[in-house]
Amino acid sequence: MQKNRQRDRSYHNVKKVIACVLSLVFFIMTIAVPAHAEEKQAEATPSRISFSDLEETIDAYVASYEKDTAAVSVVAIKDGETIVNKAYGYADIENQKKADTSTVFEWASISKLLVYTSLMQLVEQGKLDLDTDIREYLPEGFFKKLKYDEPITLMNLMHHNAGWEDQTVTEVYYYEENKNYDLGETLRENEPKQIYKPKSVVGYSNYSVGLAGYIVELVSGQPYYEYVNQHIFEPLQMNDTTVHPTGQDRPDIVQRRNEVEGYTKELKRIPENRVFVTFYPTGAAMGTAEDLGKFLAALMPVDDSHVLFAKRDTLDEMLSTSLYYDETSIPRFAHGFVEMEYWAPTLLHEGNLKGFSSKVVFDPESKFGMVVMTNIAFEEIYYYGLISKIFGNSTYVSSVTSEERGYFQSTRRAAARFTNLFTFLDITKFTKADLAKSYNVVEHNGVVEKISVTPYIDYLPVSNLKVKLIYISYIPVVLAIVFSLCALIGYLIRMLINKPHKRVNPRTDFDKYHLAINFAGVALLLNLFIIYTRYPSYPAYSSLRINLLFNLLYVVLAVAYLGLLIYRLRKNNYGKKQKMMYIMSGISAFILAAFIVGWHLYV
């Protein structure tokens, strides 16, 4: 019996030892597996492409879209090192000039990141405060068109929520070099109206960022481009980039840029694709993708080194969330950098200029990022497709309880400029499914009050009644144009019929004015058509001035005709038919003049 007890005890002890050993093994495995998984994840992109296979993956992707590619330059940064730096396609298709890593592309709106970085450098030095009203930094009486008394801060400029209407594309670009460019004067001359309360909506604003660049000038005592050269480009050895308004400080880069053509998505060459940006800090930078990669690497330092700032804390602050989507905890902006959730949280910015598209995306946590630059306008294959392949898809799903469809209008719109007509034509109807795909929906009691279709832009609801009234308002305009056209054609037909037969056509002393106003109405139709067809090609405002002046001239002619008509009807006894024709022409002229004034279609 005693022996049996000893045997049982020994057996029990052996089981204890085995259990302890197994527990230890299990504990080691639970530690090792995550560590190994972490190590694996660190060796791959967010979409789980191994870094060792990344270049081959990009090569294969570009090859599959070769027929849709002009030129594309791709740079990938990992842990401060460039792991991919390649160019594909043609900088000039017609002349078969291949792109390479020295090809100069337009940064377009990615240039704004230089403004945000400059602001944060001056904040670090105590020369600027993000929450102070910017009027304290600007000359007295700088603004003339502010509608609200609320302060406008640097944060509002970074978040695009200062409340300004959008500039028209004709005001954003110009084509002739101006050696005496003055940023402050340009901002004064092109001040937009403030149409929203600060902080109420996000509406992408080039004016805001241009203004921020001007504040950098005033506080630093240097022209903005000189400040960037000294405090960003030189420390990072970005020797192939300029942000001068016309690039005159680097003629060698301008020459290389002029060797590159811009194309549509159908690979049709865009004439006059070298444009200058009116508020140049917002989009004038141009250089190689490799240089932009150097800037990207500086945003993801591998250790405590921080070239752009004296303190690492300033960089961390700049890349931290500063604005969330309304009534959510979803990040939207990090001091001007857009926050986007792919398969990993990222920061990014995009850029589009006439004939060029660019994008920079990075994950500060894993210290991996990419630059994509093309000479294709509003390009999507690389701008979106390649980025999604490397970073994973970005999907936002919003909860919407309202069953109603609705019309919405972008907050990035012109309200007191001739393009107001085009923005109203851009009113969009959203279904519940469309709303659910938005980045964010603000909804109270089943009523949608605001949606964020992109991080850069909010959309506000437009009532069905207003939409109907807008479209109804076009009916009398169309009828007025048709009447003017018919009256003019009728006059010419009568002339042709009467002349061969030498018939006497009874005329009055008012016929010449009647003919003139109808001829002007037809000319107005042609003029509006010219404006409409030229607008998508980013014409300079100066090149449309003659068209807008003609519209203003028509208003003057219409007023003169109506005044003269009223005076002559009192003094003369015209026949009923003639009187009716004169009055109908007056009504048509009034409608067209009201259309021009109401939609700001004049200088």
Side-chain angles (χ1 to χ4, degrees), residues 77-80 296-302 315 362-364 367-369:
I77 306 292
K78 171 62 179 170
D79 293 330
L296 175 58
L299 300 175
M300 304 182 294
V302 295
L315 175 61
F362 64 105
D363 172 17
K367 295 178 174 52
F368 170 68

Side-chain angles (χ1 to χ4, degrees), residues 510 512-524 549-565 585-586 588-590 592-593 596-597:
F510 199 74
K512 55 186 176 183
Y513 304 114
H514 177 248
L515 175 63
I517 198 64
N518 285 302
F519 180 82
V522 174
L524 176 67
L549 277 171
F550 177 83
N551 291 348
L552 182 61
L553 175 62
Y554 180 85
V555 174
V556 173
L557 290 175
V559 172
Y561 178 86
L562 286 169
L564 187 61
L565 176 61
S585 293
S588 297
F590 175 80
L592 293 176
I596 292 169
V597 173

Side-chain angles (χ1 to χ4, degrees), residues 531-542:
I531 293 173
Y532 178 77
T533 54
R534 290 193 60 200
Y535 183 72
S537 64
Y538 305 141
Y541 183 75
S542 58

Side-chain angles (χ1 to χ4, degrees), residues 344-417:
T346 63
L347 299 175
L348 62 84
H349 210 289
E350 304 165 329
N352 282 286
L353 204 59
K354 190 176 183 180
F356 290 84
S357 303
S358 55
K359 193 166 190 172
V360 57
V361 187
F362 64 105
D363 172 17
E365 186 67 28
S366 67
K367 295 178 174 52
F368 170 68
M370 284 186 64
V371 171
V372 175
M373 307 186 85
T374 77
N375 59 340
I376 302 174
F378 299 102
E379 194 277 330
E380 295 177 352
I381 292 171
Y382 302 102
Y383 195 90
Y384 294 113
L386 180 59
I387 292 299
S388 295
K389 187 171 184 64
I390 306 302
F391 285 88
N393 292 323
S394 172
T395 304
Y396 283 78
V397 178
S398 297
S399 175
V400 185
T401 61
S402 174
E403 294 293 337
E404 296 182 8
R405 303 178 188 184
Y407 291 96
F408 291 84
Q409 184 178 32
S410 170
T411 53
R412 186 185 183 184
R413 67 182 184 89
R417 289 166 156 74

Side-chain angles (χ1 to χ4, degrees), residues 274-481:
R274 175 76 170 103
V275 298
F276 306 109
V277 181
T278 306
F279 314 122
Y280 81 91
T282 71
M286 58 183 177
T288 62
E290 182 177 4
D291 258 16
L292 183 50
K294 293 177 183 178
F295 178 70
L296 175 58
L299 300 175
M300 304 182 294
V302 295
D303 49 34
D304 289 335
S305 62
H306 31 77
V307 179
L308 293 173
F309 302 101
K311 301 175 184 177
R312 176 61 183 268
D313 290 346
T314 309
L315 175 61
D316 292 340
E317 180 186 357
M318 182 173 74
L319 302 183
S320 66
T321 302
S322 55
L323 183 70
Y324 295 87
Y325 286 99
D326 290 352
E327 303 179 7
T328 75
S329 58
I330 303 173
R332 185 169 190 170
F333 283 114
H335 299 83
F337 291 73
V338 172
E339 299 203 51
M340 183 72 70
E341 187 75 29
Y342 290 99
W343 288 7
T346 63
L347 299 175
L348 62 84
H349 210 289
E350 304 165 329
N352 282 286
L353 204 59
K354 190 176 183 180
F356 290 84
S357 303
S358 55
K359 193 166 190 172
V360 57
V361 187
F362 64 105
D363 172 17
E365 186 67 28
S366 67
K367 295 178 174 52
F368 170 68
M370 284 186 64
V371 171
V372 175
M373 307 186 85
T374 77
N375 59 340
I376 302 174
F378 299 102
E379 194 277 330
E380 295 177 352
I381 292 171
Y382 302 102
Y383 195 90
Y384 294 113
L386 180 59
I387 292 299
S388 295
K389 187 171 184 64
I390 306 302
F391 285 88
N393 292 323
S394 172
T395 304
Y396 283 78
V397 178
S398 297
S399 175
V400 185
T401 61
S402 174
E403 294 293 337
E404 296 182 8
R405 303 178 188 184
Y407 291 96
F408 291 84
Q409 184 178 32
S410 170
T411 53
R412 186 185 183 184
R413 67 182 184 89
R417 289 166 156 74
F418 76 89
T419 51
N420 190 20
L421 172 63
F422 300 109
T423 55
F424 265 99
L425 290 174
D426 195 33
I427 290 175
T428 307
K429 190 173 186 178
F430 286 86
T431 64
K432 184 176 180 178
D434 295 328
L435 295 176
K437 294 176 185 177
S438 301
Y439 287 86
N440 187 52
V441 176
V442 178
E443 184 181 26
H444 293 130
N445 300 320
V447 177
V448 177
E449 298 180 357
K450 184 199 304 185
I451 59 176
S452 302
V453 178
T454 76
Y456 306 100
I457 303 172
D458 289 332
Y459 274 64
L460 297 177
V462 180
S463 70
N464 290 344
L465 177 60
K466 185 173 182 179
V467 173
K468 289 177 181 177
L469 288 175
I470 290 171
Y471 286 115
I472 289 173
S473 70
Y474 298 146
I475 295 175
V477 174
V478 171
L479 292 176
I481 290 175

